[in-house]
Amino acid sequence: QLHLVQSGAEVKKPGSSVKVSCKASGGPFSSSGFTWVRQAPGQGLEWMGGIIPLLGTTNYAQRFQGRVTITADESTTTVYMELSSLRSDDTAVYYCARAGLVDREYVWFETWGQGTLVTVSS
Amino acid sequence: EIVMTQSPLSLPVTPGEPASISCKSSQSLLHTNGYNYLSWYLQKPGQSPHLLIYFGSSRASGVPDRFSGSGSGTDFTLKISRVEAEDVGVYYCMQARQTSITFGQGTRLDIK
């Protein structure tokens, strides 16, 4: 069964960028879909975007367009999420998740990483 | 963007009693392939969310059969036949009918 392990907590200054990694092991990588979901303190879940490594295709939530970049490295079975122009309201736990795919669409999120806390503070 | 509305937002339940959470979408989640693109997740305290139900009513692997999902189109329900102490946490519904995936606000289930 696929297992996802994320990189450690980060503290960033406003205006900077952060890159969070998600290492997949124990299951198929390239044919899978991977997505990123964030959760601000005490708040709900917010989908950011996703990637299907085999196809090299990405999809991003409109509110993050231009600020988020999701990439995948098949040689290391690792997915990355980079968020730029950080603001204080980007402080959140960022989760990667493996998506169940139907016709190359993300339909459900079946395996989740442990989460990475990103704190944006001056 | 499809808006997902859950109710109630807080649900205190006595162990052994049933529980029910409603999730309504602003647009139909029924795909032309006949499946509803609606899933349910439980986030236990201090943990990552995990998948309970997909396609509106299919239980994920390892999910106890006291959890069930139903509904179609815009109205969906998650039911727990007999609540156990380990079921506490926040329950979320999620739609994937549109590329821009959205979640409900979450329903917090506590034990009375």
Side-chain angles (χ1 to χ4, degrees), chain B residues 77-92:
Chain B
T77 302
L78 176 71
K79 292 182 180 177
I80 310 172
S81 58
R82 294 174 305 280
V83 171
E84 297 186 6
E86 65 180 26
D87 299 336
V88 298
V90 182
Y91 291 78
Y92 295 93

Side-chain angles (χ1 to χ4, degrees), chain A residues 47 106-109, chain B residues 1-6 23-30 36-41 73 76 92-104:
Chain A
W47 181 73
Y106 314 109
V107 184
W108 63 84
F109 301 159
Chain B
E1 175 177 288
I2 296 178
V3 177
M4 305 297 290
T5 303
Q6 291 182 227
C23 176
K24 296 183 186 297
S25 59
S26 60
Q27 298 178 37
S28 176
L29 305 184
L30 183 61
N36 286 283
Y37 281 19
L38 184 283
S39 50
W40 290 95
Y41 302 82
F76 299 88
Y92 295 93
C93 60
M94 183 192 91
Q95 72 77 22
R97 184 62 185 91
Q98 283 187 352
T99 304
S100 188
I101 291 169
T102 49
F103 291 88

Side-chain angles (χ1 to χ4, degrees), chain B residues 53-68:
Chain B
I53 302 287
Y54 62 98
F55 283 153
S57 60
S58 296
R59 252 190 319 274
S61 175
V63 174
D65 60 8
R66 64 179 182 274
F67 290 92
S68 64

Side-chain angles (χ1 to χ4, degrees), chain A residues 6-78:
Chain A
Q6 300 181 220
S7 50
E10 302 260 14
V11 179
K12 293 293 183 178
K13 300 284 190 190
S16 67
S17 299
V18 67
K19 192 170 186 177
V20 182
S21 67
C22 174
K23 166 76 174 174
S25 62
F29 178 79
S30 296
S31 60
S32 297
F34 295 93
T35 67
W36 289 88
V37 175
R38 77 176 187 180
Q39 185 172 39
Q43 301 301 307
L45 303 172
E46 181 176 34
W47 181 73
M48 299 180 70
I51 187 168
I52 302 174
L54 182 66
L55 303 177
T57 54
T58 53
N59 291 96
Y60 300 121
Q62 189 168 7
R63 66 167 293 182
F64 296 106
Q65 285 275 3
R67 261 204 328 138
V68 68
T69 304
I70 297 173
T71 56
D73 183 337
E74 294 184 60
S75 68
T76 60
T77 63
T78 302

Side-chain angles (χ1 to χ4, degrees), chain A residues 95-119:
Chain A
Y95 295 102
C96 66
R98 182 193 180 197
L101 298 175
V102 177
D103 293 333
R104 294 173 288 180
E105 292 182 311
Y106 314 109
V107 184
W108 63 84
F109 301 159
E110 58 194 25
T111 306
W112 294 66
Q114 84 277 20
T116 297
L117 175 62
V118 175
T119 303

